[in-house]
Amino acid sequence: MSQSDILCKTLGERVSVRVFPSQMVASIVVARRIAELIRAKQAAGMPAVLGLATGNTPIQVYAELVRMHREEGLSFANVVTFNLDEYYPMPASSALSYVSFMRKHLFDHVDIPQEQIHIPDGTLDEEAILGYCRDYDQKIEDFGGLDFQLLGIGLTGHIGFNEPGSTPDTVTRLVTLADLTRRDAIDTFGGLAHVPEKAITMGMRSILQAREIVLMAWSPKKAEIVKKALEGEISAEVPATFLQLCPQVEFILDRGAASLLSEYV
Ligand code: F6R
């Protein structure tokens, strides 16, 4: 990959946006950035605290990280992870759980110690959720907050499962998924009736406080919501618009996802 492969354009004053010719090239760039962070923290004898996403968007980032582990000796021994979300209820053993997703795409293939992995627990009794969510946020704080947060974006403008109505001060909690979000998952679950109605999501607060945030989006399917997130009025109606207020955010897009941006040529 040469510099000329990268179409690079910074849109607006606040949020950096980079547009790449393909999601493959973009994913490699993001994976390298994560690897650099992990290595820098290793050199300093510190943990690298990563907030991680599931879904289609980050799959190639994880594939590249696994390749770097296998072929370049990138170690995950100092990596601590906090996943954004899990469906509720959801047994970890289900092939559709985000636990299974993370094992399949990353954790089973790298040397991260099991006890350094955190994924919201979809098996809790309802009365245990509140305390569990408080502990989840407390653990993030105990590690000094997230060094890096990887995000996708949902068609509703959700980040994590912070659906419309989520304000920047929201904490980790049980949420009801938006209708559009459930419909988007129909193929995965084999019918709307099988898509869970709820999820446990990390709150906006921990996400927005991360020291680096990368939001990735691929394909024209995401173009409209990416435009709203970057150019729309900042409002809880599109939670991703709060990223406009965060100077540490970078949007990494392919051409399709960037195609409706007014400053993209
Ligand atoms: C997943 C998550 C969600 C997804 C979003 C996009 O952990 O938090 O916000 O990032 O729904 O999903 P995909 O990547 O499948 O389009």
Side-chain angles (χ1 to χ4, degrees):
M1 185 178 50
S2 72
Q3 275 305 104
S4 59
D5 288 329
I6 303 169
L7 292 174
C8 183
K9 190 159 170 62
T10 300
L11 305 176
E13 295 278 305
R14 284 174 299 211
V15 180
S16 161
V17 179
R18 283 202 286 166
V19 182
F20 290 85
S22 72
Q23 64 165 285
M24 179 64 87
V25 174
S27 298
I28 289 171
V29 168
V30 173
R32 284 188 187 163
R33 184 163 156 183
I34 295 171
E36 268 169 36
L37 171 70
I38 293 172
R39 288 196 179 106
K41 292 285 181 177
Q42 256 158 26
M46 292 169 70
V49 186
L50 308 181
L52 297 180
T54 54
N56 291 322
T57 308
I59 287 177
Q60 288 177 353
V61 173
Y62 297 145
E64 176 64 7
L65 287 170
V66 170
R67 191 201 63 74
M68 283 191 268
H69 172 69
R70 286 190 179 142
E71 296 175 15
E72 297 173 10
L74 175 67
S75 172
F76 287 70
N78 69 321
V79 173
V80 175
T81 61
F82 288 90
N83 262 81
L84 284 167
D85 37 30
E86 178 61 282
Y87 290 107
Y88 182 85
M90 177 58 75
S93 58
S94 164
L96 296 170
S97 76
Y98 283 164
V99 171
S100 297
F101 176 99
M102 289 307 301
R103 291 188 59 171
K104 177 178 169 193
H105 292 287
L106 184 65
F107 295 146
D108 279 356
H109 312 291
V110 296
D111 62 337
I112 183 168
Q114 184 63 33
E115 65 276 12
Q116 289 168 207
I117 295 171
H118 306 88
I119 302 179
D121 184 351
T123 70
L124 297 166
D125 291 336
E126 282 218 33
E127 56 274 20
I129 292 177
L130 195 63
Y132 175 85
C133 289
R134 269 196 211 123
D135 287 352
Y136 202 77
D137 286 332
Q138 188 59 50
K139 274 186 201 151
I140 294 174
E141 261 183 49
D142 291 346
F143 277 103
L146 301 165
D147 291 311
F148 183 97
Q149 177 65 59
L150 190 61
L151 295 174
I153 183 168
L155 297 177
T156 59
H158 70 218
I159 50 177
F161 276 137
N162 291 286
E163 296 285 20
S166 300
T167 51
D169 57 350
T170 48
V171 294
T172 297
R173 66 206 187 284
L174 183 66
V175 293
T176 300
L177 296 172
D179 195 48
L180 182 57
T181 299
R182 292 187 65 234
R183 288 183 184 282
D184 199 35
I186 283 177
D187 287 350
T188 309
F189 282 87
L192 186 60
H194 302 297
V195 182
E197 291 177 1
K198 295 189 177 228
I200 296 177
T201 184
M202 188 190 289
M204 295 289 287
R205 195 169 66 186
S206 296
I207 295 173
L208 298 176
Q209 284 177 351
R211 281 181 282 285
E212 288 180 64
I213 303 174
V214 167
L215 184 146
M216 304 185 302
W218 322 132
S219 92
K221 184 181 166 188
K222 296 287 174 79
E224 203 174 315
I225 194 63
V226 163
K227 183 179 175 66
K228 275 191 195 162
L230 280 167
E231 298 177 3
E233 184 194 336
I234 297 170
S235 140
E237 284 317 295
V238 181
T241 56
F242 291 116
L243 296 169
Q244 292 177 31
L245 300 170
C246 301
Q248 78 278 31
V249 172
E250 184 158 51
F251 275 56
I252 301 265
L253 309 173
D254 69 359
R255 287 182 178 135
S259 57
L260 294 178
L261 295 179
S262 51
E263 292 179 55
Y264 174 62
V265 279

